[in-house]
Every structure is written in C-alpha cells, then in structure tokens.
Amino acid sequence: MANRLKPLPHAAWQAQQARIVLAAARRFDWRRMSPAEQVEHLFSVHGPLPVVDAHFGENSVLSEFYRHCAHDKTWQQRDQCAALLRGLAAKRSTLLWRAELAPALAAVAAFWRHRCRELADWQPRSRNPFRQLESLVRHLFDKYGDVPAWILNSWTSGRLHDGGVNIADLTVCLGRGAALRTFRGLPVKLTRKVEHHLRQAPAGYTFLQALRYAQLAARELPAEWLGPVLDSRLGRRLEPDDEFWLRVVEFFAASPMVDPYQLGPVCDWIHRKRSVGIGDEPPQPGFSLKGRSMPSLLAQTAQWHRQLAKQEHRKPDAEPALSATWEPMAVQNFAGGSKCKVRITQLLSYWELIDEGRALRHCVASYLDACRRGRSGIFSLTFDGSRALTLEVQANRTVVQARGLLNRRLNEEELSWVQRWAADNRLVIPKHLFG
C-alpha cells in the first residue's frame, strides 16, 4: 500500500504525461486547422518539452516553433511572438511553417518594439519563404533601405550569431541610420574606410568573410588575395592581435613571384612559433616580421612540415597527448566510387592526425585542441585506401580547408567527391575553396 502512495519521480511523471498526450495526439491532426487556428493552438499549449513534443507529434514543425517562440518565454515575449505569427497567418505567408526559420521569426518578435513600420503594411511579393523573410526584415527594421545584403542573408541562412555579432541587433542599429562602426557589438574597431567597403561586401558572405573583404579593400590589396586569406586561419577566426596578421598579408602581397596560397601554411607556422614554440624552443609571443625575408619564411615553414612528417613513431599510449580522442562531429562519413573506392572518414584521435600529417606532409596534427574542443572536425579523403586530401569542417558546418600533399589545393576530381559528401551532410563550401 505504501508503494502505491509514493509519489512518482519527476522524470517518470513527465514520461507518463507524454504517453497520455501522445495517445490523444493520434486522434488529433493540427494540419486540418486554418493558419490562424494553428497559431492559437500553438500558444494554448503549456508544459515540459517532452509533453509538448508528444502533443504535436515527433519532429513536428509546431514543436520547433514552440521551442523558439514559447518555451521558457515570459508572457510578454509569448504575446509578441503570437502577434507576429497571427499577422503572418492573416497574410497566408509561407514563413509558416518552416522549421529552419523559427529562430529568425523569434528574433523578429524579440525586436518587435524597434520596428519602423507595421506588419499590416507588409505585402509578400514572392512565395519563396526565404525571400519573404528578407522582405519582412527590411520592411520592419530597415528605415532607409541601406542595410547591407550580407546581413539580410545571415537571417535566411540561420547565422543570427555570426562571428560573435548579434545580427538582429546589428540590423536594428543600421536600420535606424546609425554608422556601422558605432555598433557596440562588433569584435573589432572599424575605420571609416573599412566600414565603407564592409557595406559593399557580397550578399552571401558571413560577417568574418565580409570583414576580410573590407580590410583588404581598405588596404588596396588585389582582389585575388581574398581567396588565400579566407583559406588561411584569418578566414576561420578573429585573433586578438588581428592587425599583426593583416600585416602578414601585406608582407606576402608585397613579395613578387610568391604563391598566394602559401599564406595559410606560413600563418600556421607563425602561430605555432608565437603560441607554442617550434621544437625545443620556447614560444615567442613578440615574433615580428621585421628583418625577415619571404624566402626565409617559406624555408622555415617547409622545414617545420618536414619535422612533422618525420615525427618519431611511438605507441599511442607512450604519452597522454598521443592517446587523446574526442567526440565525433555530427557529420556522416562518405563512401562512393565503383572503379576506384572513395572514402571520406572523420579522424577521431591525435594519433590519426599525426598519421594524416605524416602521409601528406602538412601540419594537421596542430589541430588537436580545435578537435578536442569541438571547434573543428578533421576528415580524410582516400582513393583505394591512399590518402589524398585532408578536410577541415568547422562547428558551423562549413568546409574551411581542403589540403593535399605538401598543402596543395584540391583538384577537380576531388572537388566533385567533396561536393557530393557536403550535399549529403548539408555542409557549406565557400567559393574560395574552389580556387
């Protein structure tokens, strides 16, 4: 008798409630409702996420909207989201119900009080939901029509927190007519000249790509240097001493007859020298290019790669670092080819990174920390078991590097297989990688 009266644990109670709601959901189809009724039904539901998921159905679009527009929201925030979705339902907008756009609509509602026009005055001119979202954001927040296209593109591509910048906040700031360089959420200070070029960056760029585009243009460097810069560590992160790395680019651009794509390996060598040290020497945080020549930089970088390639063979358990492993990135491996078997496999241990770097004579082993922290995933492309290419995928599911033997660029055959693998996993391949 005492056991029957004992209260259920909270987790067990949630599971019980989910089963009850799921049984009722089997007799209920929200898709038969009108769009307005669907919105009202969405905001009439309350409870923990397992119960809500069971109510709307597994992998339901409404469940995704509930997560972003209703769950853990204050009553005021819920009302703002509900008002926005009611307005879109009244206009029969195709923005309802697209699960991938739920975070963007939640961000629109969060900045609702900053709108410069009313939703009632907005008329969608396209059935494409992504174009509708761009149109809606420009209508509500862009008072003067001069918010850069790459910022609006960040809304549709799901990059609302791009490079440490809150894109929604930036949109509202620029929409009021403020100068871009006065926005407090920028990770770097901008000059007037850099701001001018940043506003003109191509539409498909991320914040970091647009910033590099503007920085090179402000320094009057040739446009062909943008690809090598984005292909290097400068295209993957903003460094605290960003100005130093831009001077490295200028040093390269001023050197005649140098392959621009040697910038990436040299930057890796400089970073290693400044932060960790090469061989037995201590790190040199004050490393400078003063008094150095381009041939000496290339020679020392090549020597470092040879040292990595000739690294002494040791058992994986001989040293704690060598036995390091990490959780895989959520990207599937790939298998294809008929006459020649093609495999793209994720590397999940430091020992595998060392083997990869030794075979292709590059510095992929230096990405140990990035892999362990989940910032990057390293993949190896092989043809009939022979290593051909090393790929880096960042946490935002973008393929940022593809390097073969001695850091060579990928060829057309390799690119076609990488594109197939990227399409299967919905990965982004920047244009500069095609170079």
Side-chain angles (χ1 to χ4, degrees):
M1 179 66 71
N3 287 337
R4 290 205 303 268
L5 296 178
K6 187 178 180 180
L8 286 173
H10 183 67
W13 175 83
Q14 278 193 344
Q16 185 184 70
Q17 293 297 308
R19 286 194 296 270
I20 294 172
V21 173
L22 182 59
R26 289 170 181 162
R27 302 187 297 272
F28 167 77
D29 187 2
W30 60 269
R31 295 173 184 81
R32 296 182 180 180
M33 294 179 171
S34 68
E37 291 173 333
Q38 291 172 359
V39 173
E40 297 305 323
H41 180 62
L42 173 69
F43 289 95
S44 68
V45 176
H46 299 275
L49 286 177
V51 176
V52 173
D53 288 341
H55 179 82
F56 289 131
E58 189 176 359
N59 298 323
S60 168
V61 174
L62 283 188
S63 292
E64 191 67 16
F65 269 78
Y66 182 86
R67 274 180 169 79
H68 293 282
C69 299
H71 182 60
D72 283 345
K73 300 285 187 183
T74 65
W75 285 106
Q76 181 181 8
Q77 292 170 332
R78 285 175 67 105
D79 289 344
Q80 289 174 342
C81 288
L84 172 63
L85 298 188
R86 287 191 197 103
L88 296 175
K91 293 182 177 294
R92 300 280 177 175
S93 170
T94 55
L95 289 171
L96 300 176
W97 302 92
R98 294 297 296 257
E100 64 270 38
L101 298 182
L105 292 181
V108 170
F111 287 87
W112 189 248
R113 63 188 179 90
H114 298 292
R115 65 191 184 279
C116 58
R117 302 181 186 90
E118 295 302 324
L119 178 61
D121 300 328
W122 174 69
Q123 290 298 329
R125 298 181 179 180
S126 169
R127 295 293 297 171
N128 185 305
F130 300 97
R131 292 181 181 176
Q132 282 194 12
L133 178 59
E134 284 192 7
S135 170
L136 176 66
V137 171
R138 195 176 285 282
H139 172 82
L140 292 177
F141 303 122
D142 189 5
K143 185 175 182 180
Y144 302 103
D146 59 355
V147 172
W150 62 266
I151 293 180
L152 296 178
N153 185 261
S154 295
W155 284 81
T156 59
S157 57
R159 299 192 306 265
L160 291 176
H161 293 277
D162 186 10
V165 177
N166 186 322
I167 292 297
D169 198 5
L170 178 60
T171 304
V172 170
C173 177
L174 297 184
R176 294 172 175 172
L180 201 160
R181 66 184 180 279
T182 63
F183 179 64
R184 294 184 178 181
L186 291 176
V188 294
K189 291 184 179 180
L190 303 180
T191 64
R192 290 177 181 271
K193 198 170 184 180
V194 171
E195 178 187 0
H196 169 74
H197 292 289
L198 187 57
R199 285 181 174 273
Q200 298 178 341
Y205 279 12
T206 65
F207 167 75
L208 183 55
Q209 290 170 345
L211 177 64
R212 295 307 187 204
Y213 169 90
Q215 289 172 328
L216 297 187
R219 284 168 166 75
E220 299 182 356
L221 294 176
E224 56 265 24
W225 275 95
L226 181 61
V229 167
L230 296 181
D231 197 50
S232 71
R233 63 184 300 106
L234 279 75
R236 301 190 292 278
R237 59 183 63 85
L238 272 172
E239 305 286 358
D241 49 353
D242 200 54
E243 186 62 30
F244 167 80
W245 294 103
L246 292 172
R247 290 198 297 271
V248 173
V249 177
E250 289 181 317
F251 182 81
F252 255 80
S255 301
M257 298 301 292
V258 61
D259 179 8
Y261 282 96
Q262 287 295 322
L263 174 67
V266 170
C267 284
D268 289 339
W269 174 79
I270 293 175
H271 173 73
R272 181 82 175 193
K273 194 172 185 68
R274 300 179 87 207
S275 60
V276 179
I278 304 294
D280 296 330
E281 68 180 24
Q284 300 178 25
F287 175 87
S288 170
L289 294 175
K290 186 176 181 180
R292 299 182 183 272
S293 67
M294 180 55 64
S296 71
L297 282 182
L298 295 177
Q300 291 179 74
T301 301
Q303 182 182 7
W304 176 50
H305 284 114
R306 287 194 296 269
Q307 290 173 354
L308 290 174
K310 294 178 180 178
Q311 197 168 37
E312 183 181 356
H313 286 267
R314 288 174 288 183
K315 294 182 179 179
D317 58 354
E319 184 181 319
L322 289 174
S323 60
T325 60
W326 47 85
E327 291 296 317
M329 182 176 285
V331 176
Q332 297 297 317
N333 293 336
F334 176 85
S338 53
K339 296 181 180 179
C340 179
K341 292 183 179 179
V342 181
R343 300 287 184 270
I344 299 179
T345 309
Q346 187 167 183
L347 307 182
L348 299 174
S349 73
Y350 185 41
W351 193 247
E352 289 179 318
L353 293 184
I354 290 176
D355 275 349
E356 182 80 1
R358 184 182 295 118
L360 297 181
R361 299 177 64 185
H362 54 44
C363 58
V364 71
S366 64
Y367 285 82
L368 168 64
D369 187 61
C371 292
R372 295 177 73 171
R373 294 177 181 271
R375 295 196 302 262
S376 297
I378 303 297
F379 294 78
S380 177
L381 184 149
T382 62
F383 290 104
D384 283 336
S386 298
R387 300 177 193 264
L389 204 66
T390 306
L391 303 152
E392 180 192 357
V393 180
Q394 287 200 324
N396 61 1
R397 304 185 71 80
T398 302
V399 184
V400 295
Q401 283 200 94
R403 295 290 186 179
L405 182 65
L406 294 172
N407 286 292
R408 68 164 175 81
R409 307 280 293 167
L410 74 175
N411 57 40
E412 292 185 6
E413 181 184 11
E414 292 164 346
L415 176 60
S416 66
W417 289 112
V418 171
Q419 287 175 319
R420 286 183 56 180
W421 166 67
D424 290 347
N425 286 281
R426 297 185 179 180
L427 304 176
V428 177
I429 302 181
K431 290 182 180 179
H432 70 81
L433 206 68
F434 291 60

